[in-house]
Amino acid sequence: MIKEAFRLKDPQVRAYVPFVGPFDPCKPLGVRTYLVPPQLFIPFQPMGWPQYSPAEALRLGTLWPALYSPYTSKKMKERAVENDGEGTAEAL
């Protein structure tokens, strides 16, 4: 339901709408996102995986492209959610 409404571009990013109670004194948050690490979907390290060059691996923080997960700052995450999601929690 959320994926259909917001069409997140990055497959590692997940979204959810927090519960808002009838007596909640705080303003509703709307849609929240979080990052799912790629190693959660790889049960073991297969033989013969493609590898980055040593210099590229040091720059990216991993030797294997399948385990690469780019870091984005909070400011960039806010912009990504604004660009990815069209609407608010009420639209769901």
Side-chain angles (χ1 to χ4, degrees), residues 16-68:
Y16 68 97
V17 179
F19 174 76
V20 179
F23 303 109
D24 194 352
C26 301
K27 177 182 169 190
L29 293 174
V31 176
R32 307 299 290 171
T33 60
Y34 62 98
L35 183 69
V36 179
Q39 65 265 26
L40 292 178
F41 304 104
I42 302 171
F44 62 93
Q45 179 181 330
M47 297 291 290
W49 255 14
Q51 298 180 352
Y52 290 123
S53 67
E56 187 77 3
L58 285 172
R59 188 177 71 77
L60 296 174
T62 184
L63 185 58
W64 298 280
L67 294 177
Y68 175 65

mmCIF file of all heavy atoms in Angstrom, residues 16-68:
data_model
loop_
_atom_site.group_PDB
_atom_site.id
_atom_site.type_symbol
_atom_site.label_atom_id
_atom_site.label_comp_id
_atom_site.label_asym_id
_atom_site.label_seq_id
_atom_site.Cartn_x
_atom_site.Cartn_y
_atom_site.Cartn_z
ATOM 1 N N TYR A 16 7.063 3.538 6.167
ATOM 2 C CA TYR A 16 5.901 3.157 6.968
ATOM 3 C C TYR A 16 5.234 4.407 7.515
ATOM 4 O O TYR A 16 5.825 5.477 7.556
ATOM 5 C CB TYR A 16 6.288 2.213 8.113
ATOM 6 C CG TYR A 16 7.127 2.868 9.185
ATOM 7 C CD1 TYR A 16 6.538 3.360 10.339
ATOM 8 C CD2 TYR A 16 8.504 3.001 9.047
ATOM 9 C CE1 TYR A 16 7.291 3.963 11.326
ATOM 10 C CE2 TYR A 16 9.262 3.607 10.018
ATOM 11 C CZ TYR A 16 8.658 4.076 11.160
ATOM 12 O OH TYR A 16 9.417 4.684 12.129
ATOM 13 N N VAL A 17 3.990 4.248 7.914
ATOM 14 C CA VAL A 17 3.232 5.344 8.523
ATOM 15 C C VAL A 17 3.034 4.986 9.991
ATOM 16 O O VAL A 17 2.411 3.979 10.305
ATOM 17 C CB VAL A 17 1.867 5.527 7.836
ATOM 18 C CG1 VAL A 17 1.087 6.643 8.497
ATOM 19 C CG2 VAL A 17 2.054 5.797 6.361
ATOM 20 N N PRO A 18 3.584 5.787 10.930
ATOM 21 C CA PRO A 18 3.416 5.490 12.356
ATOM 22 C C PRO A 18 1.958 5.619 12.798
ATOM 23 O O PRO A 18 1.185 6.392 12.221
ATOM 24 C CB PRO A 18 4.277 6.550 13.060
ATOM 25 C CG PRO A 18 5.066 7.220 12.016
ATOM 26 C CD PRO A 18 4.423 6.948 10.704
ATOM 27 N N PHE A 19 1.618 4.848 13.812
ATOM 28 C CA PHE A 19 0.269 4.912 14.377
ATOM 29 C C PHE A 19 0.055 6.267 15.060
ATOM 30 O O PHE A 19 0.915 6.757 15.781
ATOM 31 C CB PHE A 19 0.072 3.787 15.402
ATOM 32 C CG PHE A 19 -1.232 3.875 16.130
ATOM 33 C CD1 PHE A 19 -2.413 3.500 15.513
ATOM 34 C CD2 PHE A 19 -1.288 4.358 17.426
ATOM 35 C CE1 PHE A 19 -3.620 3.584 16.179
ATOM 36 C CE2 PHE A 19 -2.493 4.443 18.109
ATOM 37 C CZ PHE A 19 -3.662 4.058 17.475
ATOM 38 N N VAL A 20 -1.089 6.843 14.841
ATOM 39 C CA VAL A 20 -1.470 8.094 15.489
ATOM 40 C C VAL A 20 -2.726 7.812 16.300
ATOM 41 O O VAL A 20 -3.779 7.496 15.741
ATOM 42 C CB VAL A 20 -1.736 9.209 14.462
ATOM 43 C CG1 VAL A 20 -2.151 10.486 15.169
ATOM 44 C CG2 VAL A 20 -0.521 9.445 13.602
ATOM 45 N N GLY A 21 -2.578 7.887 17.617
ATOM 46 C CA GLY A 21 -3.717 7.618 18.504
ATOM 47 C C GLY A 21 -4.674 8.787 18.566
ATOM 48 O O GLY A 21 -4.322 9.929 18.263
ATOM 49 N N PRO A 22 -5.918 8.544 19.000
ATOM 50 C CA PRO A 22 -6.908 9.616 19.065
ATOM 51 C C PRO A 22 -6.570 10.668 20.121
ATOM 52 O O PRO A 22 -7.008 11.815 20.017
ATOM 53 C CB PRO A 22 -8.213 8.893 19.410
ATOM 54 C CG PRO A 22 -7.799 7.606 20.020
ATOM 55 C CD PRO A 22 -6.470 7.252 19.415
ATOM 56 N N PHE A 23 -5.783 10.303 21.140
ATOM 57 C CA PHE A 23 -5.428 11.257 22.196
ATOM 58 C C PHE A 23 -3.950 11.613 22.163
ATOM 59 O O PHE A 23 -3.390 12.050 23.163
ATOM 60 C CB PHE A 23 -5.804 10.675 23.563
ATOM 61 C CG PHE A 23 -7.257 10.320 23.655
ATOM 62 C CD1 PHE A 23 -7.654 9.001 23.679
ATOM 63 C CD2 PHE A 23 -8.228 11.308 23.676
ATOM 64 C CE1 PHE A 23 -8.996 8.666 23.747
ATOM 65 C CE2 PHE A 23 -9.573 10.980 23.737
ATOM 66 C CZ PHE A 23 -9.963 9.658 23.769
ATOM 67 N N ASP A 24 -3.308 11.417 21.050
ATOM 68 C CA ASP A 24 -1.878 11.710 20.914
ATOM 69 C C ASP A 24 -1.669 13.222 20.946
ATOM 70 O O ASP A 24 -2.208 13.945 20.107
ATOM 71 C CB ASP A 24 -1.362 11.128 19.598
ATOM 72 C CG ASP A 24 0.144 11.080 19.537
ATOM 73 O OD1 ASP A 24 0.801 11.629 20.434
ATOM 74 O OD2 ASP A 24 0.675 10.483 18.587
ATOM 75 N N PRO A 25 -0.880 13.737 21.906
ATOM 76 C CA PRO A 25 -0.695 15.188 22.005
ATOM 77 C C PRO A 25 0.261 15.747 20.949
ATOM 78 O O PRO A 25 0.293 16.948 20.726
ATOM 79 C CB PRO A 25 -0.117 15.381 23.409
ATOM 80 C CG PRO A 25 0.592 14.107 23.678
ATOM 81 C CD PRO A 25 -0.201 13.041 22.987
ATOM 82 N N CYS A 26 1.020 14.887 20.296
ATOM 83 C CA CYS A 26 2.010 15.348 19.318
ATOM 84 C C CYS A 26 1.417 15.387 17.916
ATOM 85 O O CYS A 26 0.492 14.655 17.592
ATOM 86 C CB CYS A 26 3.220 14.419 19.324
ATOM 87 S SG CYS A 26 4.016 14.320 20.932
ATOM 88 N N LYS A 27 1.997 16.228 17.107
ATOM 89 C CA LYS A 27 1.602 16.324 15.710
ATOM 90 C C LYS A 27 1.965 15.014 14.994
ATOM 91 O O LYS A 27 3.037 14.468 15.217
ATOM 92 C CB LYS A 27 2.348 17.499 15.076
ATOM 93 C CG LYS A 27 2.099 17.687 13.626
ATOM 94 C CD LYS A 27 2.927 18.837 13.094
ATOM 95 C CE LYS A 27 2.872 18.842 11.577
ATOM 96 N NZ LYS A 27 3.827 19.763 10.997
ATOM 97 N N PRO A 28 1.115 14.473 14.125
ATOM 98 C CA PRO A 28 1.447 13.240 13.396
ATOM 99 C C PRO A 28 2.696 13.421 12.540
ATOM 100 O O PRO A 28 2.935 14.490 11.966
ATOM 101 C CB PRO A 28 0.228 13.004 12.512
ATOM 102 C CG PRO A 28 -0.872 13.770 13.149
ATOM 103 C CD PRO A 28 -0.223 14.937 13.837
ATOM 104 N N LEU A 29 3.506 12.373 12.460
ATOM 105 C CA LEU A 29 4.772 12.441 11.760
ATOM 106 C C LEU A 29 4.657 12.245 10.258
ATOM 107 O O LEU A 29 5.532 12.648 9.519
ATOM 108 C CB LEU A 29 5.736 11.389 12.325
ATOM 109 C CG LEU A 29 6.189 11.613 13.758
ATOM 110 C CD1 LEU A 29 7.022 10.437 14.229
ATOM 111 C CD2 LEU A 29 6.967 12.892 13.880
ATOM 112 N N GLY A 30 3.634 11.591 9.782
ATOM 113 C CA GLY A 30 3.538 11.293 8.354
ATOM 114 C C GLY A 30 4.335 10.047 8.026
ATOM 115 O O GLY A 30 4.459 9.137 8.829
ATOM 116 N N VAL A 31 4.919 10.006 6.872
ATOM 117 C CA VAL A 31 5.652 8.830 6.423
ATOM 118 C C VAL A 31 7.084 8.880 6.934
ATOM 119 O O VAL A 31 7.763 9.901 6.830
ATOM 120 C CB VAL A 31 5.640 8.756 4.882
ATOM 121 C CG1 VAL A 31 6.479 7.597 4.384
ATOM 122 C CG2 VAL A 31 4.224 8.652 4.386
ATOM 123 N N ARG A 32 7.556 7.759 7.495
ATOM 124 C CA ARG A 32 8.926 7.629 7.982
ATOM 125 C C ARG A 32 9.640 6.608 7.107
ATOM 126 O O ARG A 32 9.023 5.659 6.619
ATOM 127 C CB ARG A 32 8.954 7.160 9.430
ATOM 128 C CG ARG A 32 8.110 7.995 10.382
ATOM 129 C CD ARG A 32 8.529 9.415 10.466
ATOM 130 N NE ARG A 32 9.813 9.493 11.143
ATOM 131 C CZ ARG A 32 10.548 10.567 11.243
ATOM 132 N NH1 ARG A 32 10.124 11.695 10.713
ATOM 133 N NH2 ARG A 32 11.688 10.576 11.867
ATOM 134 N N THR A 33 10.929 6.775 6.891
ATOM 135 C CA THR A 33 11.706 5.835 6.084
ATOM 136 C C THR A 33 12.878 5.291 6.881
ATOM 137 O O THR A 33 13.324 5.910 7.845
ATOM 138 C CB THR A 33 12.239 6.510 4.811
ATOM 139 O OG1 THR A 33 13.067 7.601 5.175
ATOM 140 C CG2 THR A 33 11.110 6.981 3.919
ATOM 141 N N TYR A 34 13.356 4.120 6.475
ATOM 142 C CA TYR A 34 14.551 3.530 7.065
ATOM 143 C C TYR A 34 15.270 2.715 6.000
ATOM 144 O O TYR A 34 14.688 2.346 4.978
ATOM 145 C CB TYR A 34 14.200 2.660 8.280
ATOM 146 C CG TYR A 34 13.318 1.481 7.983
ATOM 147 C CD1 TYR A 34 13.859 0.212 7.794
ATOM 148 C CD2 TYR A 34 11.941 1.622 7.900
ATOM 149 C CE1 TYR A 34 13.052 -0.873 7.521
ATOM 150 C CE2 TYR A 34 11.125 0.549 7.638
ATOM 151 C CZ TYR A 34 11.689 -0.703 7.447
ATOM 152 O OH TYR A 34 10.889 -1.776 7.176
ATOM 153 N N LEU A 35 16.540 2.459 6.230
ATOM 154 C CA LEU A 35 17.387 1.758 5.280
ATOM 155 C C LEU A 35 17.552 0.306 5.693
ATOM 156 O O LEU A 35 17.849 0.018 6.854
ATOM 157 C CB LEU A 35 18.753 2.442 5.215
ATOM 158 C CG LEU A 35 19.741 1.895 4.217
ATOM 159 C CD1 LEU A 35 19.266 2.199 2.801
ATOM 160 C CD2 LEU A 35 21.099 2.518 4.446
ATOM 161 N N VAL A 36 17.363 -0.608 4.759
ATOM 162 C CA VAL A 36 17.572 -2.032 4.999
ATOM 163 C C VAL A 36 18.942 -2.392 4.435
ATOM 164 O O VAL A 36 19.175 -2.220 3.237
ATOM 165 C CB VAL A 36 16.475 -2.873 4.305
ATOM 166 C CG1 VAL A 36 16.718 -4.345 4.539
ATOM 167 C CG2 VAL A 36 15.118 -2.472 4.804
ATOM 168 N N PRO A 37 19.878 -2.876 5.266
ATOM 169 C CA PRO A 37 21.208 -3.225 4.766
ATOM 170 C C PRO A 37 21.152 -4.392 3.778
ATOM 171 O O PRO A 37 20.373 -5.335 3.968
ATOM 172 C CB PRO A 37 21.986 -3.622 6.022
ATOM 173 C CG PRO A 37 21.126 -3.300 7.173
ATOM 174 C CD PRO A 37 19.741 -3.064 6.692
ATOM 175 N N PRO A 38 21.964 -4.361 2.719
ATOM 176 C CA PRO A 38 21.914 -5.416 1.707
ATOM 177 C C PRO A 38 22.330 -6.793 2.228
ATOM 178 O O PRO A 38 21.885 -7.806 1.710
ATOM 179 C CB PRO A 38 22.862 -4.932 0.618
ATOM 180 C CG PRO A 38 23.730 -3.922 1.262
ATOM 181 C CD PRO A 38 22.933 -3.334 2.388
ATOM 182 N N GLN A 39 23.170 -6.866 3.262
ATOM 183 C CA GLN A 39 23.619 -8.165 3.760
ATOM 184 C C GLN A 39 22.486 -8.979 4.388
ATOM 185 O O GLN A 39 22.630 -10.171 4.597
ATOM 186 C CB GLN A 39 24.806 -8.032 4.719
ATOM 187 C CG GLN A 39 24.505 -7.323 6.003
ATOM 188 C CD GLN A 39 24.831 -5.855 5.949
ATOM 189 O OE1 GLN A 39 24.839 -5.247 4.899
ATOM 190 N NE2 GLN A 39 25.090 -5.255 7.102
ATOM 191 N N LEU A 40 21.346 -8.366 4.668
ATOM 192 C CA LEU A 40 20.206 -9.112 5.206
ATOM 193 C C LEU A 40 19.620 -10.088 4.185
ATOM 194 O O LEU A 40 18.965 -11.057 4.550
ATOM 195 C CB LEU A 40 19.101 -8.159 5.658
ATOM 196 C CG LEU A 40 19.406 -7.295 6.869
ATOM 197 C CD1 LEU A 40 18.232 -6.382 7.163
ATOM 198 C CD2 LEU A 40 19.708 -8.148 8.075
ATOM 199 N N PHE A 41 19.863 -9.832 2.915
ATOM 200 C CA PHE A 41 19.273 -10.648 1.861
ATOM 201 C C PHE A 41 20.258 -11.639 1.248
ATOM 202 O O PHE A 41 19.911 -12.343 0.314
ATOM 203 C CB PHE A 41 18.699 -9.743 0.766
ATOM 204 C CG PHE A 41 17.713 -8.758 1.311
ATOM 205 C CD1 PHE A 41 18.049 -7.426 1.481
ATOM 206 C CD2 PHE A 41 16.461 -9.174 1.705
ATOM 207 C CE1 PHE A 41 17.150 -6.519 1.990
ATOM 208 C CE2 PHE A 41 15.538 -8.276 2.226
ATOM 209 C CZ PHE A 41 15.885 -6.957 2.370
ATOM 210 N N ILE A 42 21.485 -11.694 1.769
ATOM 211 C CA ILE A 42 22.502 -12.595 1.241
ATOM 212 C C ILE A 42 22.871 -13.575 2.345
ATOM 213 O O ILE A 42 23.591 -13.215 3.288
ATOM 214 C CB ILE A 42 23.742 -11.799 0.770
ATOM 215 C CG1 ILE A 42 23.308 -10.787 -0.290
ATOM 216 C CG2 ILE A 42 24.803 -12.738 0.235
ATOM 217 C CD1 ILE A 42 24.361 -9.800 -0.676
ATOM 218 N N PRO A 43 22.401 -14.831 2.293
ATOM 219 C CA PRO A 43 22.626 -15.769 3.394
ATOM 220 C C PRO A 43 24.082 -16.213 3.533
ATOM 221 O O PRO A 43 24.529 -16.511 4.615
ATOM 222 C CB PRO A 43 21.718 -16.948 3.056
ATOM 223 C CG PRO A 43 21.486 -16.852 1.590
ATOM 224 C CD PRO A 43 21.589 -15.404 1.235
ATOM 225 N N PHE A 44 24.844 -16.280 2.444
ATOM 226 C CA PHE A 44 26.247 -16.659 2.505
ATOM 227 C C PHE A 44 26.979 -15.987 1.354
ATOM 228 O O PHE A 44 26.380 -15.516 0.403
ATOM 229 C CB PHE A 44 26.424 -18.184 2.442
ATOM 230 C CG PHE A 44 25.921 -18.780 1.160
ATOM 231 C CD1 PHE A 44 26.773 -18.972 0.084
ATOM 232 C CD2 PHE A 44 24.589 -19.144 1.013
ATOM 233 C CE1 PHE A 44 26.303 -19.508 -1.108
ATOM 234 C CE2 PHE A 44 24.111 -19.679 -0.163
ATOM 235 C CZ PHE A 44 24.975 -19.869 -1.235
ATOM 236 N N GLN A 45 28.308 -15.975 1.441
ATOM 237 C CA GLN A 45 29.111 -15.319 0.411
ATOM 238 C C GLN A 45 29.455 -16.329 -0.683
ATOM 239 O O GLN A 45 30.245 -17.237 -0.472
ATOM 240 C CB GLN A 45 30.387 -14.773 1.050
ATOM 241 C CG GLN A 45 31.302 -14.088 0.084
ATOM 242 C CD GLN A 45 32.550 -13.603 0.792
ATOM 243 O OE1 GLN A 45 32.524 -13.277 1.959
ATOM 244 N NE2 GLN A 45 33.641 -13.579 0.075
ATOM 245 N N PRO A 46 28.855 -16.204 -1.862
ATOM 246 C CA PRO A 46 29.125 -17.152 -2.940
ATOM 247 C C PRO A 46 30.543 -17.011 -3.492
ATOM 248 O O PRO A 46 31.146 -15.932 -3.418
ATOM 249 C CB PRO A 46 28.110 -16.793 -4.011
ATOM 250 C CG PRO A 46 27.191 -15.806 -3.421
ATOM 251 C CD PRO A 46 27.842 -15.241 -2.213
ATOM 252 N N MET A 47 31.058 -18.088 -4.055
ATOM 253 C CA MET A 47 32.381 -18.059 -4.695
ATOM 254 C C MET A 47 32.282 -17.302 -6.017
ATOM 255 O O MET A 47 31.256 -17.345 -6.695
ATOM 256 C CB MET A 47 32.865 -19.486 -4.961
ATOM 257 C CG MET A 47 33.059 -20.314 -3.710
ATOM 258 S SD MET A 47 34.430 -19.749 -2.712
ATOM 259 C CE MET A 47 35.798 -20.208 -3.721
ATOM 260 N N GLY A 48 33.352 -16.618 -6.384
ATOM 261 C CA GLY A 48 33.431 -15.964 -7.685
ATOM 262 C C GLY A 48 32.608 -14.706 -7.844
ATOM 263 O O GLY A 48 32.278 -14.324 -8.959
ATOM 264 N N TRP A 49 32.264 -14.055 -6.738
ATOM 265 C CA TRP A 49 31.526 -12.796 -6.830
ATOM 266 C C TRP A 49 32.384 -11.735 -7.504
ATOM 267 O O TRP A 49 33.600 -11.684 -7.291
ATOM 268 C CB TRP A 49 31.184 -12.321 -5.429
ATOM 269 C CG TRP A 49 29.767 -12.503 -5.061
ATOM 270 C CD1 TRP A 49 28.837 -13.244 -5.695
ATOM 271 C CD2 TRP A 49 29.116 -11.929 -3.940
ATOM 272 N NE1 TRP A 49 27.640 -13.165 -5.034
ATOM 273 C CE2 TRP A 49 27.791 -12.369 -3.958
ATOM 274 C CE3 TRP A 49 29.528 -11.096 -2.925
ATOM 275 C CZ2 TRP A 49 26.865 -11.990 -3.010
ATOM 276 C CZ3 TRP A 49 28.611 -10.717 -1.976
ATOM 277 C CH2 TRP A 49 27.290 -11.163 -2.023
ATOM 278 N N PRO A 50 31.782 -10.822 -8.269
ATOM 279 C CA PRO A 50 32.564 -9.704 -8.815
ATOM 280 C C PRO A 50 33.070 -8.821 -7.679
ATOM 281 O O PRO A 50 32.399 -8.675 -6.653
ATOM 282 C CB PRO A 50 31.574 -8.954 -9.706
ATOM 283 C CG PRO A 50 30.224 -9.419 -9.296
ATOM 284 C CD PRO A 50 30.383 -10.770 -8.679
ATOM 285 N N GLN A 51 34.265 -8.266 -7.870
ATOM 286 C CA GLN A 51 34.877 -7.446 -6.834
ATOM 287 C C GLN A 51 35.309 -6.108 -7.410
ATOM 288 O O GLN A 51 35.656 -6.002 -8.577
ATOM 289 C CB GLN A 51 36.091 -8.146 -6.243
ATOM 290 C CG GLN A 51 35.793 -9.441 -5.558
ATOM 291 C CD GLN A 51 37.050 -10.091 -4.998
ATOM 292 O OE1 GLN A 51 38.163 -9.646 -5.250
ATOM 293 N NE2 GLN A 51 36.857 -11.143 -4.228
ATOM 294 N N TYR A 52 35.300 -5.098 -6.533
ATOM 295 C CA TYR A 52 35.866 -3.801 -6.895
ATOM 296 C C TYR A 52 37.386 -3.907 -6.857
ATOM 297 O O TYR A 52 37.944 -4.796 -6.214
ATOM 298 C CB TYR A 52 35.441 -2.725 -5.899
ATOM 299 C CG TYR A 52 33.992 -2.329 -5.953
ATOM 300 C CD1 TYR A 52 33.177 -2.414 -4.828
ATOM 301 C CD2 TYR A 52 33.423 -1.822 -7.116
ATOM 302 C CE1 TYR A 52 31.847 -2.030 -4.859
ATOM 303 C CE2 TYR A 52 32.089 -1.434 -7.158
ATOM 304 C CZ TYR A 52 31.316 -1.543 -6.028
ATOM 305 O OH TYR A 52 30.006 -1.152 -6.058
ATOM 306 N N SER A 53 38.053 -2.970 -7.495
ATOM 307 C CA SER A 53 39.504 -2.874 -7.364
ATOM 308 C C SER A 53 39.818 -2.477 -5.919
ATOM 309 O O SER A 53 38.960 -1.920 -5.224
ATOM 310 C CB SER A 53 40.043 -1.829 -8.334
ATOM 311 O OG SER A 53 39.597 -0.535 -7.944
ATOM 312 N N PRO A 54 41.031 -2.749 -5.427
ATOM 313 C CA PRO A 54 41.345 -2.396 -4.032
ATOM 314 C C PRO A 54 41.117 -0.909 -3.715
ATOM 315 O O PRO A 54 40.579 -0.578 -2.663
ATOM 316 C CB PRO A 54 42.812 -2.779 -3.892
ATOM 317 C CG PRO A 54 43.008 -3.885 -4.873
ATOM 318 C CD PRO A 54 42.111 -3.529 -6.037
ATOM 319 N N ALA A 55 41.512 -0.022 -4.614
ATOM 320 C CA ALA A 55 41.333 1.421 -4.364
ATOM 321 C C ALA A 55 39.845 1.775 -4.307
ATOM 322 O O ALA A 55 39.411 2.524 -3.434
ATOM 323 C CB ALA A 55 42.026 2.237 -5.443
ATOM 324 N N GLU A 56 39.059 1.220 -5.233
ATOM 325 C CA GLU A 56 37.623 1.486 -5.251
ATOM 326 C C GLU A 56 36.946 0.889 -4.019
ATOM 327 O O GLU A 56 36.050 1.481 -3.427
ATOM 328 C CB GLU A 56 37.012 0.896 -6.533
ATOM 329 C CG GLU A 56 35.570 1.242 -6.750
ATOM 330 C CD GLU A 56 35.369 2.661 -7.248
ATOM 331 O OE1 GLU A 56 36.334 3.377 -7.489
ATOM 332 O OE2 GLU A 56 34.200 3.057 -7.383
ATOM 333 N N ALA A 57 37.386 -0.299 -3.600
ATOM 334 C CA ALA A 57 36.815 -0.943 -2.410
ATOM 335 C C ALA A 57 37.074 -0.106 -1.159
ATOM 336 O O ALA A 57 36.201 0.026 -0.305
ATOM 337 C CB ALA A 57 37.398 -2.341 -2.247
ATOM 338 N N LEU A 58 38.250 0.472 -1.035
ATOM 339 C CA LEU A 58 38.546 1.334 0.116
ATOM 340 C C LEU A 58 37.686 2.590 0.093
ATOM 341 O O LEU A 58 37.227 3.067 1.124
ATOM 342 C CB LEU A 58 40.026 1.701 0.141
ATOM 343 C CG LEU A 58 40.963 0.584 0.587
ATOM 344 C CD1 LEU A 58 42.415 1.008 0.386
ATOM 345 C CD2 LEU A 58 40.716 0.216 2.031
ATOM 346 N N ARG A 59 37.458 3.130 -1.093
ATOM 347 C CA ARG A 59 36.650 4.343 -1.199
ATOM 348 C C ARG A 59 35.182 4.067 -0.865
ATOM 349 O O ARG A 59 34.520 4.858 -0.199
ATOM 350 C CB ARG A 59 36.757 4.915 -2.617
ATOM 351 C CG ARG A 59 36.111 6.273 -2.780
ATOM 352 C CD ARG A 59 36.300 6.828 -4.170
ATOM 353 N NE ARG A 59 35.518 6.126 -5.158
ATOM 354 C CZ ARG A 59 34.198 6.278 -5.352
ATOM 355 N NH1 ARG A 59 33.524 7.102 -4.599
ATOM 356 N NH2 ARG A 59 33.571 5.611 -6.287
ATOM 357 N N LEU A 60 34.655 2.904 -1.301
ATOM 358 C CA LEU A 60 33.241 2.585 -1.107
ATOM 359 C C LEU A 60 32.957 1.857 0.203
ATOM 360 O O LEU A 60 31.816 1.792 0.643
ATOM 361 C CB LEU A 60 32.732 1.736 -2.276
ATOM 362 C CG LEU A 60 32.747 2.424 -3.634
ATOM 363 C CD1 LEU A 60 32.359 1.449 -4.729
ATOM 364 C CD2 LEU A 60 31.825 3.631 -3.637
ATOM 365 N N GLY A 61 33.981 1.249 0.812
ATOM 366 C CA GLY A 61 33.791 0.578 2.093
ATOM 367 C C GLY A 61 33.427 -0.889 1.992
ATOM 368 O O GLY A 61 33.119 -1.515 2.998
ATOM 369 N N THR A 62 33.465 -1.464 0.792
ATOM 370 C CA THR A 62 33.196 -2.890 0.622
ATOM 371 C C THR A 62 33.903 -3.397 -0.626
ATOM 372 O O THR A 62 34.131 -2.641 -1.567
ATOM 373 C CB THR A 62 31.688 -3.189 0.522
ATOM 374 O OG1 THR A 62 31.505 -4.595 0.452
ATOM 375 C CG2 THR A 62 31.053 -2.536 -0.680
ATOM 376 N N LEU A 63 34.246 -4.668 -0.614
ATOM 377 C CA LEU A 63 34.919 -5.269 -1.761
ATOM 378 C C LEU A 63 33.929 -5.725 -2.825
ATOM 379 O O LEU A 63 34.244 -5.790 -3.995
ATOM 380 C CB LEU A 63 35.766 -6.454 -1.278
ATOM 381 C CG LEU A 63 36.658 -7.159 -2.280
ATOM 382 C CD1 LEU A 63 37.640 -6.185 -2.909
ATOM 383 C CD2 LEU A 63 37.396 -8.299 -1.621
ATOM 384 N N TRP A 64 32.703 -6.041 -2.418
ATOM 385 C CA TRP A 64 31.714 -6.611 -3.334
ATOM 386 C C TRP A 64 30.616 -5.617 -3.668
ATOM 387 O O TRP A 64 29.978 -5.046 -2.780
ATOM 388 C CB TRP A 64 31.100 -7.862 -2.708
ATOM 389 C CG TRP A 64 32.128 -8.903 -2.478
ATOM 390 C CD1 TRP A 64 32.643 -9.774 -3.394
ATOM 391 C CD2 TRP A 64 32.802 -9.166 -1.251
ATOM 392 N NE1 TRP A 64 33.592 -10.564 -2.812
ATOM 393 C CE2 TRP A 64 33.723 -10.219 -1.490
ATOM 394 C CE3 TRP A 64 32.739 -8.629 0.022
ATOM 395 C CZ2 TRP A 64 34.537 -10.733 -0.511
ATOM 396 C CZ3 TRP A 64 33.564 -9.133 1.003
ATOM 397 C CH2 TRP A 64 34.444 -10.171 0.733
ATOM 398 N N PRO A 65 30.328 -5.422 -4.963
ATOM 399 C CA PRO A 65 29.267 -4.494 -5.367
ATOM 400 C C PRO A 65 27.893 -4.851 -4.795
ATOM 401 O O PRO A 65 27.092 -3.960 -4.511
ATOM 402 C CB PRO A 65 29.258 -4.604 -6.899
ATOM 403 C CG PRO A 65 30.632 -5.058 -7.251
ATOM 404 C CD PRO A 65 31.077 -5.946 -6.119
ATOM 405 N N ALA A 66 27.609 -6.132 -4.590
ATOM 406 C CA ALA A 66 26.293 -6.526 -4.067
ATOM 407 C C ALA A 66 26.079 -6.063 -2.628
ATOM 408 O O ALA A 66 24.944 -5.937 -2.179
ATOM 409 C CB ALA A 66 26.136 -8.035 -4.146
ATOM 410 N N LEU A 67 27.164 -5.796 -1.895
ATOM 411 C CA LEU A 67 27.046 -5.355 -0.503
ATOM 412 C C LEU A 67 27.198 -3.840 -0.343
ATOM 413 O O LEU A 67 27.215 -3.333 0.770
ATOM 414 C CB LEU A 67 28.087 -6.062 0.368
ATOM 415 C CG LEU A 67 27.890 -7.561 0.513
ATOM 416 C CD1 LEU A 67 29.019 -8.155 1.329
ATOM 417 C CD2 LEU A 67 26.561 -7.871 1.153
ATOM 418 N N TYR A 68 27.284 -3.123 -1.444
ATOM 419 C CA TYR A 68 27.447 -1.678 -1.371
ATOM 420 C C TYR A 68 26.116 -1.015 -1.032
ATOM 421 O O TYR A 68 25.084 -1.290 -1.632
ATOM 422 C CB TYR A 68 27.967 -1.133 -2.697
ATOM 423 C CG TYR A 68 28.049 0.367 -2.736
ATOM 424 C CD1 TYR A 68 28.933 1.051 -1.907
ATOM 425 C CD2 TYR A 68 27.238 1.109 -3.569
ATOM 426 C CE1 TYR A 68 29.006 2.428 -1.922
ATOM 427 C CE2 TYR A 68 27.307 2.490 -3.600
ATOM 428 C CZ TYR A 68 28.191 3.139 -2.777
ATOM 429 O OH TYR A 68 28.262 4.501 -2.791
#
